[in-house]
Amino acid sequence: MKKIVLTGGGTAGHVTPNIALIPALKKEGYEIHYIGSYDGIERKLIEELEIPYYGISSGKLRRYIDLKNLSDPFKVVKGLAQARHILGKIKPDVIFSKGGFVAVPVVLAAKTRRIPCVIHESDMTPGLANKICIPCAVRVCTNFPETLDYIPSEKAVLTGSPIREELFHGDRNKGLAFCHFDNSKPIILVIGGSLGAVAVNNAVRGLLPQILERFQIIHLCGKGKLDSSLNDTKGYAQFEYINEELPDLMAAADIMVSRAGANAICEILALRKPNILIPLSAEASRGDQILNAASFEKQGYSIVIQEKDITKENLSDAINQIYINKSMYIKAMKQSRLNNSIEKITGLVNEAASRKHK
C-alpha cells in the first residue's frame, strides 16, 4: 500500500485543507499518517478521524525581536530529529504539507530521506515557513495566480485550496430552521473569524435596523462576542462559532460578509457566494489578508472594505451593491480557474509519489 504523511498546523487553516484531501487520498489507496505539534489544534482534529498522529517539537521562526528567538531554534532542531526518526519508521512515498511552522522540520527531514514533498501555499505571498520549505518541494500548490511569480516556475501550480466535501451538501431549509428564519427575506451570513472581529461586529450591529428591513442576518461573531441585548431581535441570529451546521448556514446565505483568510475565501468562491471581504489589518497581521482580498476584488469575485475604513454607511452601500449585482459576481466566480482543487492536488501527490520509485 502507498503511504503518505500529511503535515501542517498551528491554526485551523493549516489543517482543514488536509482533512478535505483525506477521502480522496483514501480512494487512491494511500495509508495516511499525520505529523503535527504536541498539542496544537491539528492533534484533536486529526485524532477524531482515527488517523495515526505523531507529535513533534516545533518552534516559531520570527522576523522580529523576541526572547523566544533564543530557544525556538533548538525546538526546530529537536523536531527535525524527531521527524526524521518518524519518517524512517513509516517510510512514506510522499509528503503533503499545508504549512505552519510545525511543517518545517517535517519537510526538511523528508529532504534528508529523499522523500518527495508537495506543499501548499494559501496566501498571495509565501510565509516564512513555506519560504524555508519551497527549496525542498517538488511541487508548490497556490491559491492565487499572483503567487506563481514568487515560486520557481518548474514547481508552481495553480490549484486552489481543497474544500471540505460536506460544505457542498448544505441544506438551505435546515439552515433557515436552525436560525428560526423563513424565506420572506434574503440572508446575509457574517463570519468574523474564530476570534471574531470587533470592527465588523460593531458595524453590522450598528446597521441592524436598516439591514433588517430588507435582509435576515446570521452572525458568527466569535467567542465571547455575543450581545445578549439582541437575543430577541427578529431576523437576527447570532452565534459564537458554528461547526456542524455551517454547511446549512452557508447554503442558506444569499450573500456573505467575511474576513479574508485564504481558506475562508476559497470556500466562499467554491460555493459561489457574492461577498464583501473585510481583511485583517496590516497592524494585526503580515498583511496577507489584504493581498488575498485585493486579488479576489481584481478577479471580480468580491467587494473589499479595509478595516480602518469601515463605517455603517460604506458597509450598507456594499451590501446593497453586492446584492443588486449578485449575478455578476456569481458569473465571475463560475469562470474561476480554481476548480477541482482536490483532483488537481491528488494528481500532483501521485506524480510526486511515483518519483520515489524511479
Side-chain angles (χ1 to χ4, degrees), residues 21 24-25 28 30 340-352:
L21 277 177
L25 292 172
E28 291 290 322
Y30 282 97
N340 304 316
S341 299
I342 290 177
E343 182 181 326
K344 290 177 185 175
I345 293 171
T346 303
L348 294 173
V349 166
N350 285 334
E351 176 194 284

Side-chain angles (χ1 to χ4, degrees), residues 296-314:
F296 265 43
E297 186 171 50
K298 180 182 177 182
Q299 294 176 81
Y301 308 154
S302 312
I303 292 175
V304 176
I305 305 175
Q306 300 302 330
E307 184 172 296
K308 63 182 175 59
D309 299 326
I310 193 169
T311 64
K312 291 191 293 184
E313 291 73 24
N314 61 16

Side-chain angles (χ1 to χ4, degrees), residues 180-251:
H180 305 291
F181 289 173
D182 55 35
N183 276 307
S184 61
K185 295 177 183 177
I187 308 292
I188 301 173
L189 174 59
V190 181
I191 302 180
S194 58
L195 298 178
V198 173
V200 178
N201 291 349
N202 289 345
V204 169
R205 287 167 175 158
L207 269 177
L208 274 186
Q210 298 98 300
I211 300 177
L212 292 176
E213 289 177 5
R214 295 185 57 202
F215 299 93
Q216 300 170 99
I217 299 175
I218 304 170
H219 190 177
L220 308 187
C221 54
K223 188 174 181 180
K225 305 293 196 308
L226 295 174
D227 184 340
S228 58
S229 70
L230 299 172
N231 285 346
D232 298 323
T233 303
K234 183 175 173 55
Y236 177 75
Q238 58 178 336
F239 308 95
E240 288 189 330
Y241 180 75
I242 290 290
N243 188 16
E244 185 177 337
E245 296 84 6
L246 185 60
D248 298 333
L249 300 188
M250 294 186 85

